[in-house]
Amino acid sequence: MAVLASCQHKSKAPQLGLPAQAMLSKLKAIAPEATLIGHQDDLAYGVHWKYEEGRSDIKEIVGDYPAIFGWDLGGLELGHSVNLDSVPFDKMQKWMKWVHAEGGINAMSWHGYSPLDGASSWEISEKQVPHLLAGGKGHQAYLAQLDQLASFFSSLRDEKGEIIPLIFRPFHEMDGSWFWWGAKHCTVDEYKLLFRTTVDYLRKDKGLNNLIIAYSPDNKFHTKEQYLERYPGDEWVDIMAMDNYGDFRPGQENQQAAIDKLTIVGQLAQEHGKLAAFSETGRETIDTPQWFTASLQPVLEANEYTRSMAYVLLWRNGRKDHFYAPYPGHSSEKDFVKFYQHPETLFLRDFAAKVTKGSK
Ligand code: BMA
């Protein structure tokens, strides 16, 4: 609860409407004692199925859905009807409404295309960021992309017509250089300005008060200073997070490194009065059957700071050679059930029950 108190003191007044404030408060209250488990595209497809109503690989293993549902916006900014992984935006919108109605949380990443030349997030031969800032040749086109995002965000309404809050995590993994907004492709100041411009435009110009903003570098940092290098500032961020696959990768496993970095995230979040989260992780194809209880769980439980993660999100179950949550018949199935049974992991039912009861 000390965490909660410091949050209230230090944060600048967030530009959030009541539903978003309520969501943030629930997450803050839960964070010191439990971690919500999340999965990217959970309702859209699994390793062996696509777009089948009600299905979820995670539910088919543990009998419950994840509590956090990750979605990606990439392609929406171009007016596409499906995202870069072929998920139709109309279905996404419907699922997101369902998630909210069930008491879960939606978290959106954005593997967007450049408004200048349509470069995918991974096309890094041309500089993009400086041109998207005010005065740049792509600035208006960039704002037009944000208009597309804004109308999607604004279309997310509950049955009373009230806007649904969501976590928005733009320009993630910026300490790596695989995306056009990555470390080698723009200066620190350009990055910060792009992030601030994006958040300000959506919140102030478009009047959206349902966006909880997450900042999430990858695992390149070793110190607080390095983590904060591209941090846009407390006014533009609600969640301090990180992505980390590298320290769990076969041959490069380093549990202590994963703990140390997550500890930094937890400490900084506390110092800045923000929520902490483990915004993406996983081990592709889960080739070690005890990965969840032997690798991930000890990292989450290492100390009070790693414990303070509000959620951890596993990446998508895209293909037989690209998945991060188990599916029925997979060798990590039993271990994932243990992970589910652990008192500190929360799935949809547990979370919704706690929230509805207003406990803790
Ligand atoms: C990556 C991979 C890609 C996918 C992208 C955006 O990590 O899963 O296949 O297109 O994320 O979701």
mmCIF file of all heavy atoms in Angstrom, residues 84-85 111 122 315-316 319 322, ligand 1:
data_model
loop_
_atom_site.group_PDB
_atom_site.id
_atom_site.type_symbol
_atom_site.label_atom_id
_atom_site.label_comp_id
_atom_site.label_asym_id
_atom_site.label_seq_id
_atom_site.Cartn_x
_atom_site.Cartn_y
_atom_site.Cartn_z
ATOM 1 N N LEU A 84 -1.607 -6.150 -39.125
ATOM 2 C CA LEU A 84 -0.479 -6.782 -39.818
ATOM 3 C C LEU A 84 -0.422 -8.289 -39.622
ATOM 4 O O LEU A 84 0.235 -8.982 -40.393
ATOM 5 C CB LEU A 84 0.854 -6.127 -39.410
ATOM 6 C CG LEU A 84 1.457 -6.481 -38.051
ATOM 7 C CD1 LEU A 84 2.893 -5.976 -37.980
ATOM 8 C CD2 LEU A 84 0.665 -5.934 -36.908
ATOM 9 N N ASP A 85 -1.137 -8.781 -38.609
ATOM 10 C CA ASP A 85 -1.207 -10.229 -38.411
ATOM 11 C C ASP A 85 -2.569 -10.774 -38.848
ATOM 12 O O ASP A 85 -2.990 -11.837 -38.382
ATOM 13 C CB ASP A 85 -0.934 -10.559 -36.937
ATOM 14 C CG ASP A 85 0.440 -10.094 -36.500
ATOM 15 O OD1 ASP A 85 1.415 -10.316 -37.254
ATOM 16 O OD2 ASP A 85 0.558 -9.480 -35.420
ATOM 17 N N HIS A 111 2.580 -1.816 -34.110
ATOM 18 C CA HIS A 111 3.616 -2.058 -35.118
ATOM 19 C C HIS A 111 3.163 -1.338 -36.389
ATOM 20 O O HIS A 111 2.735 -1.965 -37.356
ATOM 21 C CB HIS A 111 3.801 -3.548 -35.370
ATOM 22 C CG HIS A 111 4.463 -4.288 -34.236
ATOM 23 N ND1 HIS A 111 3.767 -4.775 -33.153
ATOM 24 C CD2 HIS A 111 5.767 -4.596 -34.009
ATOM 25 C CE1 HIS A 111 4.624 -5.372 -32.314
ATOM 26 N NE2 HIS A 111 5.836 -5.275 -32.823
ATOM 27 N N TRP A 122 9.699 -2.586 -39.306
ATOM 28 C CA TRP A 122 11.039 -3.181 -39.352
ATOM 29 C C TRP A 122 11.892 -2.627 -40.499
ATOM 30 O O TRP A 122 13.039 -3.027 -40.644
ATOM 31 C CB TRP A 122 10.945 -4.700 -39.490
ATOM 32 C CG TRP A 122 10.351 -5.366 -38.293
ATOM 33 C CD1 TRP A 122 11.024 -5.862 -37.217
ATOM 34 C CD2 TRP A 122 8.962 -5.621 -38.038
ATOM 35 N NE1 TRP A 122 10.148 -6.402 -36.312
ATOM 36 C CE2 TRP A 122 8.878 -6.272 -36.784
ATOM 37 C CE3 TRP A 122 7.781 -5.364 -38.731
ATOM 38 C CZ2 TRP A 122 7.662 -6.670 -36.216
ATOM 39 C CZ3 TRP A 122 6.567 -5.754 -38.167
ATOM 40 C CH2 TRP A 122 6.512 -6.399 -36.930
ATOM 41 N N TRP A 315 3.484 -13.262 -25.616
ATOM 42 C CA TRP A 315 3.220 -12.886 -27.012
ATOM 43 C C TRP A 315 2.326 -13.914 -27.701
ATOM 44 O O TRP A 315 1.887 -14.883 -27.104
ATOM 45 C CB TRP A 315 4.554 -12.639 -27.741
ATOM 46 C CG TRP A 315 4.370 -11.764 -28.939
ATOM 47 C CD1 TRP A 315 4.640 -12.099 -30.243
ATOM 48 C CD2 TRP A 315 3.848 -10.422 -28.964
ATOM 49 N NE1 TRP A 315 4.318 -11.031 -31.074
ATOM 50 C CE2 TRP A 315 3.832 -10.014 -30.316
ATOM 51 C CE3 TRP A 315 3.382 -9.542 -27.983
ATOM 52 C CZ2 TRP A 315 3.364 -8.750 -30.699
ATOM 53 C CZ3 TRP A 315 2.925 -8.287 -28.365
ATOM 54 C CH2 TRP A 315 2.921 -7.907 -29.702
ATOM 55 N N ARG A 316 2.061 -13.693 -28.956
ATOM 56 C CA ARG A 316 0.969 -14.346 -29.662
ATOM 57 C C ARG A 316 1.239 -15.824 -30.013
ATOM 58 O O ARG A 316 2.381 -16.225 -30.213
ATOM 59 C CB ARG A 316 0.638 -13.557 -30.931
ATOM 60 C CG ARG A 316 1.739 -13.519 -31.962
ATOM 61 C CD ARG A 316 1.530 -12.428 -33.005
ATOM 62 N NE ARG A 316 2.319 -12.720 -34.203
ATOM 63 C CZ ARG A 316 1.820 -13.290 -35.291
ATOM 64 N NH1 ARG A 316 0.549 -13.603 -35.351
ATOM 65 N NH2 ARG A 316 2.592 -13.536 -36.330
ATOM 66 N N ARG A 319 1.817 -19.332 -34.853
ATOM 67 C CA ARG A 319 2.058 -20.488 -35.725
ATOM 68 C C ARG A 319 2.689 -21.601 -34.879
ATOM 69 O O ARG A 319 3.116 -21.352 -33.763
ATOM 70 C CB ARG A 319 3.085 -20.134 -36.821
ATOM 71 C CG ARG A 319 2.788 -18.954 -37.683
ATOM 72 C CD ARG A 319 3.910 -18.758 -38.731
ATOM 73 N NE ARG A 319 5.210 -18.481 -38.122
ATOM 74 C CZ ARG A 319 5.672 -17.250 -37.833
ATOM 75 N NH1 ARG A 319 4.937 -16.180 -38.085
ATOM 76 N NH2 ARG A 319 6.866 -17.088 -37.292
ATOM 77 N N HIS A 322 5.885 -20.403 -33.773
ATOM 78 C CA HIS A 322 5.901 -19.049 -33.215
ATOM 79 C C HIS A 322 4.724 -18.904 -32.256
ATOM 80 O O HIS A 322 3.672 -18.416 -32.609
ATOM 81 C CB HIS A 322 5.794 -18.041 -34.379
ATOM 82 C CG HIS A 322 5.940 -16.598 -33.963
ATOM 83 N ND1 HIS A 322 7.036 -16.102 -33.323
ATOM 84 C CD2 HIS A 322 5.095 -15.540 -34.107
ATOM 85 C CE1 HIS A 322 6.885 -14.803 -33.111
ATOM 86 N NE2 HIS A 322 5.706 -14.443 -33.573
HETATM 87 C C1 BMA B 1 6.329 -10.043 -33.863
HETATM 88 C C2 BMA B 1 5.967 -11.333 -34.546
HETATM 89 C C3 BMA B 1 5.420 -10.981 -35.903
HETATM 90 C C4 BMA B 1 4.228 -10.017 -35.741
HETATM 91 C C5 BMA B 1 4.604 -8.809 -34.888
HETATM 92 C C6 BMA B 1 3.444 -7.911 -34.588
HETATM 93 O O1 BMA B 1 6.915 -10.277 -32.622
HETATM 94 O O2 BMA B 1 4.988 -12.009 -33.791
HETATM 95 O O3 BMA B 1 4.989 -12.168 -36.538
HETATM 96 O O4 BMA B 1 3.797 -9.583 -36.997
HETATM 97 O O5 BMA B 1 5.168 -9.260 -33.679
HETATM 98 O O6 BMA B 1 2.427 -8.569 -33.894
#
